[in-house]
Amino acid sequence: MAVPDKKNPDTAVRVEKGDTLYDIAKANGLTLKEIRDLNPTLMNNPKYDKGNMIFSNTKVNIAPPAPKVVTPPTTTTPPTTTTPPTTTTPPTTTTPPTTTTPPTGTPDGSGANTGVGPGTPPGQVSGGGATGGMPGGATGFSGGFTQADIDKAFAAGSAKATTTEADNKFAVKVAAKDKLIALFKSQGIDDEAFATFISNNIMNDVSEAQTLIELYDQPAYKLRFPGMAKLRTKNRTITEAEYIGLENQMVQTLKFFDLPAGFYDDRATLGKIIENEVSPKEVQDRAQMAQDLARAADPNVRNALMDFYKVGEGAITAYFLNADKALPLLQKSAKAAEIAGIGKTYGFADFGMAEAEQLGVQDAYAKLSSSDLTKAFGQASQLAATQSRLAYLDKETYSDREALEAILESDQQAILASTKRAKREQARFGGSSGLSAGSLRTSSNI
């Protein structure tokens, strides 16, 4: 039965093998009209035949989609380190004292230069007493930076540089993880757990190269690139871009040959082709050969496929191209059509779709290839001709169904009945009719 859609479990389901729109509608409390109204694509796209043909993994709405809630993007703000402001004290400008050159003349006899006052040796600041021309005894500056001020300024500058470096590293990490997440999203991996893994790795200083290696083991990566694991074991790893390029070439080729949806748009199938290193050219050659075989197939088989299931040439090509893959897609239709078509070729009464499908799921028929079925129907046809004649002589009836039971289904009662008729015929004409026991046997040795 259909399973909930992963992205919209409350409003949609994904088709499983054997589902019909009617079954899905009934299981979800809807009428067939209601579910058709909810799925206009199934009604309008010719490949769905107005909802009569649905395929595995097809999305089917069972309720109107819930309104989307737009969540504003979360902005990550780098941590800010506050640097205490540095107070700069402007240096004090000291005006050098004016040195008065004593006038040339004769001392007045008091030991002082005339007009200068008490004697002050030239070159010495009055009242200062310190060499260097700075008042207050400071050498070079008066009232300027102390060593503590200088140390504080250097510490503040170092802290700011450290903060800037940390901010830059954080910004680089954010850019790296955003780039990787966006890259894989563009390649089809839009998975929250996958994005979280990338973010945690990069923000915890795991290198980008190492993160890319570890991504190979993530479930979302394996689902998107299923062929990569096998290629790595063979040391034939390719880039994701090369992988996608191969996918695109193969999809275009298979679409050209009109293969049914589900055959070429399944990543697991394409992954098998890629991991086995089948080139796009080889895929094209195989598809061409398959199409040629489909066109050369027994016309009764082709007609049965088209009559029973409206299956066109593309689906028949898929069957011949990869029977293991196409048979689930066509379900039991291919085998039923083979039984009906080959049976008609060998003169058996026309099989209806229900009867052909019922026989097709029996091991006796399901395990036989097309060529084996052809051979078996040929033997059954010979047996039916012989046994019908013998039954008529014994005033009995014999049906084609008994021949199929004896040859294809190994039904012991049917085999025994045929053997007894043959023995009665031998007893009736033995030795006088010119007929030997061998002349009454069919190719089935009955």
Side-chain angles (χ1 to χ4, degrees):
M1 179 53 71
V3 297
D5 181 65
K6 290 183 180 179
K7 292 187 177 180
N8 307 282
D10 295 329
T11 61
V13 296
R14 291 282 176 178
V15 173
E16 292 281 282
K17 181 178 179 181
D19 285 336
T20 65
L21 280 185
Y22 176 78
D23 295 334
I24 295 172
K26 185 176 180 182
N28 291 278
L30 301 172
T31 65
L32 189 56
K33 181 181 184 306
E34 288 173 332
I35 204 162
R36 284 175 172 170
D37 291 343
L38 288 168
N39 294 274
T41 299
L42 300 183
M43 299 300 104
N44 299 330
N45 191 327
K47 79 174 182 180
Y48 295 111
D49 191 24
K50 297 184 178 180
N52 293 318
M53 291 286 290
I54 56 175
F55 309 97
S56 295
N57 203 36
T58 299
K59 179 181 174 184
V60 177
N61 296 317
I62 57 173
K68 293 185 178 179
V69 179
V70 179
T71 305
T74 303
T75 303
T76 305
T77 305
T80 304
T81 303
T82 304
T83 304
T86 303
T87 305
T88 304
T89 305
T92 304
T93 304
T94 305
T95 305
T98 304
T99 303
T100 304
T101 305
T104 305
T106 304
D108 60 2
S110 62
N113 294 328
T114 304
V116 177
T120 301
Q124 181 171 331
V125 180
S126 174
T131 305
M134 294 296 177
T139 302
F141 294 97
S142 177
F145 292 118
T146 64
Q147 185 60 47
D149 291 332
I150 294 172
D151 291 343
K152 184 177 180 181
F154 272 113
S158 177
K160 185 174 183 181
T162 301
T163 300
T164 301
E165 182 181 5
D167 289 347
N168 289 341
K169 286 183 177 179
F170 182 85
V172 168
K173 290 179 183 179
V174 170
K177 64 102 174 171
D178 287 347
K179 180 189 74 174
L180 283 181
I181 292 172
L183 170 65
F184 284 103
K185 188 172 183 179
S186 70
Q187 294 174 347
I189 305 180
D190 188 6
D191 182 82
E192 185 176 350
F194 188 80
T196 300
F197 176 83
I198 292 176
S199 181
N200 289 342
N201 259 31
I202 298 298
M203 300 310 290
N204 286 301
D205 296 320
V206 178
S207 70
E208 189 172 329
Q210 181 62 33
T211 298
L212 285 170
I213 293 173
E214 294 178 7
L215 285 177
Y216 292 151
D217 295 324
Q218 295 303 302
Y221 185 92
K222 291 180 178 180
L223 191 63
R224 174 59 188 87
F225 299 103
M228 280 292 204
K230 187 71 173 290
L231 289 176
R232 286 200 305 276
T233 63
K234 297 189 292 187
N235 292 322
R236 301 296 296 271
T237 306
I238 59 177
T239 67
E240 287 79 12
E242 290 172 325
Y243 189 105
I244 292 172
L246 290 173
E247 283 183 329
N248 290 336
Q249 290 181 65
M250 292 174 187
V251 166
Q252 289 176 11
T253 296
L254 298 176
K255 270 188 173 182
F256 175 79
F257 285 95
D258 196 30
L259 269 70
F263 190 87
Y264 57 79
D265 55 2
D266 176 33
R267 284 175 176 161
T269 299
L270 296 178
K272 285 288 185 184
I273 297 174
I274 292 172
E275 73 179 24
N276 290 325
E277 300 184 83
V278 180
S279 69
K281 177 63 169 63
E282 186 175 349
V283 169
Q284 180 178 345
D285 291 343
R286 288 187 185 185
Q288 183 65 62
M289 184 182 299
Q291 187 180 73
D292 293 343
L293 287 171
R295 290 174 176 176
D298 186 326
N300 286 324
V301 176
R302 288 206 309 272
N303 291 338
L305 279 168
M306 294 177 184
D307 290 343
F308 287 176
Y309 307 104
K310 309 298 186 257
V311 172
E313 185 177 278
I316 303 173
T317 301
Y319 173 68
F320 283 110
L321 181 64
N322 185 345
D324 290 339
K325 177 62 184 173
L327 195 55
L329 291 175
L330 302 174
Q331 299 175 353
K332 49 196 172 186
S333 58
K335 185 58 69 177
E338 280 186 337
I339 292 170
I342 295 172
K344 185 174 182 180
T345 300
Y346 283 93
F348 288 90
D350 289 345
F351 289 96
M353 184 172 70
E355 183 182 5
E357 287 182 349
Q358 185 178 13
L359 292 176
V361 297
Q362 295 181 23
D363 285 347
Y365 294 85
K367 292 181 178 180
L368 294 181
S369 66
S370 181
S371 61
D372 289 337
L373 272 174
T374 300
K375 181 179 179 181
F377 269 100
Q379 293 175 346
S381 177
Q382 292 179 30
L383 179 63
T386 300
Q387 291 296 315
S388 293
R389 180 176 61 82
L390 296 179
Y392 175 78
L393 294 174
D394 289 338
K395 298 182 179 180
E396 297 177 349
T397 59
Y398 186 84
S399 69
D400 292 346
R401 189 75 184 82
E402 289 182 71
L404 293 177
E405 290 171 353
I407 298 297
L408 282 98
E409 300 171 31
S410 300
D411 184 279
Q412 294 303 312
Q413 286 187 332
I415 294 172
L416 182 60
S418 297
T419 303
K420 286 180 177 179
R421 287 192 195 94
K423 287 182 177 180
R424 286 198 297 270
E425 179 71 355
Q426 292 171 23
R428 243 190 321 264
F429 298 100
S432 60
S433 65
L435 295 175
S436 66
S439 67
L440 294 173
R441 296 179 185 268
T442 68
S443 60
S444 62
N445 293 320
I446 294 177

